[in-house]
Amino acid sequence: MTTEGEMTTAPEAPAGRAGGTAKRAMVGRLSWGLADQAASSASNFVVGIYVARSLGPTAFGVFSLAWVTYGVVLNVSRGLATDPLVVRFSGVPEASWRGAVARSTGTALGVGTTLGAVCLVAGLGIGGSVGPAFAVLGVVLPALLLQDAWRFAFFAAGAGRKAFVNDVVWGVALVPAMVVAAHVGSVAAFVFAWGGSAAVAAAYGWLQSGIRPRTAGARGWMREQRDLGYRYLVENVGLSGAYQLRAYGLGVIVGVSAVGAVRGAELLLGPFLAVLMGLSLVTVAEAARVLKRAPHRLGKFCLLLGGGQAGACVLWGAALLLMPDRLGELVLGDVWHSAAQLIVPATLGVAGASLGTGAAAGLRALGAARRSLRCQMFASVCYAGGGLGGAAVAGTVGSSWGVAAATLTSSAVWWLQLRAALREQRQDPNREVRTT
């Protein structure tokens, strides 16, 4: 059992020098988070563009449905395995971290194996053009989730460079796999290329860490972390489940090609989303460090984080509006024309979500799982309701505007809850985030 009092500490330095050193260390960790996500998102971007250009709008819509399903399973894994790891084992002694990582990665591997089997059976039962993609997704899910778990483990240890290298390995392995998939010419082949190359990176993560995932420790890990893990599970699945519900509903209401259009708009926002997701890898860990060292600065840290991301997103969306059609067609092929109509609402939706990430990081650092759960459930209901209601009224464009309104509203709720949690923390400053 490890507590904050057992953490290793360096000899005390002068206040000014210590503050500067801490800031430089934080900037370094954030930089590695951005670099890692840039590598990861570049791979995802290439896969999306390659499939969109190779298979056309309808097949790209099928691929997008498999992608969305992967996102749901990924969030199950993160809620049970890696989110508690980041909250409770960031900045702890190495021995404590290694034991936690073995059980956390084992949990991720177990989730991938169990839900992968479900996807495999479902895919074989569905058949048609959609079934093979889901069957192959079920086969590669364990590798995809284990690779993601290594990334979070490295960031919890402050070793973002290792996460970056791991994603670079995935990207390198992806190149020949995509070439082979293009020769086959099916959605299932592209899914297998994407997941098979992730298996290479997952194996390399084992070598990097020298830690063997302990699937036998998964039950104990979930039991020990149940106060956070199950709430984060519901929270994460609520978000990704709402996204999946919107995608499936959009396919039924408008058509599968509409799902591809929405995914195309997301690809246009890809470089910014790389920044957003890269920061999300490290922001909870950094917020936890701010809380331990200077609790009074947590609110300001979260505000700068969320506000900066939202402002950057608006600037990126403005740049997309100036992009010539010829360039858009070069990037997305036939998907460009439908995706271009969604740039404005998609940008506002991501900006709203970005603003809320600052508050979400603060709530997780505070261990305020009940508050963050309430926020996420509210956001999920708004997202699904806005997306499906908008689709029923005005098709794909209406769905995107409904999502934009939902995320902006939800962001306000996140900040109200963080404000209340910070007030509670000031009234009871001895509250601590458990690191067992």
Side-chain angles (χ1 to χ4, degrees):
M1 179 179 293
T2 305
T3 62
E4 291 180 23
E6 294 173 337
M7 292 181 185
T8 56
T9 57
E12 190 171 331
R17 188 188 307 170
T21 301
K23 288 181 180 178
R24 284 193 296 272
M26 178 186 295
V27 170
R29 290 188 293 267
L30 291 173
S31 298
W32 279 118
L34 292 174
D36 169 73
Q37 190 58 45
S40 176
S41 293
S43 298
N44 293 339
F45 182 77
V46 169
V47 171
I49 295 300
Y50 210 61
V51 175
R53 290 184 58 82
S54 300
L55 301 180
T58 301
F60 184 57
V62 174
F63 181 84
S64 298
L65 289 176
W67 188 285
V68 168
T69 303
Y70 156 71
V72 176
V73 178
L74 179 65
N75 279 300
V76 172
S77 175
R78 288 180 176 178
L80 293 176
T82 53
D83 283 345
L85 177 75
V86 171
V87 170
R88 287 178 167 158
F89 293 89
S90 293
V92 301
E94 183 179 0
S96 178
W97 173 82
R98 291 180 68 85
V101 168
R103 291 178 294 154
S104 176
T105 53
T107 302
L109 193 57
V111 170
T113 301
T114 302
L115 297 184
V118 174
C119 284
L120 176 60
V121 172
L124 294 175
I126 293 171
S129 60
V130 176
F134 277 80
V136 173
L137 176 65
V139 173
V140 299
L141 269 176
L144 287 165
L145 299 192
L146 180 58
Q147 192 275 339
D148 184 75
W150 288 127
R151 297 170 70 206
F152 279 80
F154 292 140
F155 278 111
R161 180 181 59 84
K162 289 186 176 181
F164 170 74
V165 172
N166 191 276
D167 269 321
V168 170
V169 168
W170 186 3
V172 172
L174 186 61
V175 174
M178 292 292 289
V179 172
V180 173
H183 283 293
V184 176
S186 69
V187 177
F190 280 104
V191 174
F192 187 77
W194 166 53
S197 54
V200 176
Y204 183 64
W206 187 349
L207 293 175
Q208 283 177 295
S209 64
I211 300 172
R212 181 175 62 86
R214 289 178 50 206
T215 54
R219 182 173 297 180
W221 172 263
M222 290 189 292
R223 183 174 60 252
E224 293 171 11
Q225 310 301 328
R226 62 182 178 274
D227 59 322
L228 292 183
Y230 291 130
R231 289 194 179 103
Y232 289 156
L233 169 64
V234 176
E235 182 179 326
N236 290 354
V237 172
L239 174 62
S240 56
Y243 187 86
Q244 186 179 32
L245 179 61
R246 181 214 179 184
Y248 289 171
L250 191 60
V252 171
I253 296 171
V254 183
V256 175
S257 60
V259 183
V262 171
R263 178 61 184 156
E266 292 173 351
L267 288 173
L268 293 174
L269 288 162
F272 174 77
L273 289 173
V275 175
L276 173 61
M277 295 177 68
L279 288 175
S280 71
L281 288 171
V282 293
T283 48
V284 175
E286 291 305 322
R289 290 184 175 96
V290 171
L291 178 62
K292 293 170 184 175
R293 294 171 181 168
H296 61 284
R297 295 180 181 174
L298 181 60
K300 181 179 180 181
F301 172 81
C302 295
L303 181 60
L304 290 174
L305 176 66
Q309 290 178 98
C313 180
V314 171
L315 291 176
W316 181 260
L320 288 176
L321 291 174
L322 301 176
M323 188 165 67
D325 285 339
R326 285 186 298 177
L327 180 57
E329 291 170 358
L330 179 64
V331 174
L332 290 178
D334 294 338
V335 179
W336 160 252
H337 296 287
S338 55
Q341 302 176 43
L342 310 180
I343 290 176
V344 173
T347 298
L348 292 177
V350 175
S354 300
L355 188 60
T357 58
L363 285 174
R364 290 205 166 184
L366 289 165
R370 289 184 179 179
R371 290 187 180 277
S372 63
L373 176 59
R374 287 197 294 265
C375 290
Q376 195 57 74
M377 290 299 96
F378 177 81
S380 298
V381 171
C382 288
Y383 183 95
L388 295 178
V393 173
T396 310
V397 175
S399 178
S400 293
W401 277 110
V403 166
T407 55
L408 290 168
T409 302
S410 302
S411 177
V413 174
W414 277 105
W415 279 100
L416 289 172
Q417 288 295 316
L418 177 61
R419 181 182 179 184
L422 288 172
R423 188 184 304 116
E424 290 177 355
Q425 195 275 337
R426 285 193 295 269
Q427 293 172 352
D428 186 10
N430 293 322
R431 294 174 70 245
E432 62 178 7
V433 177
R434 184 166 58 87
T435 57
T436 56

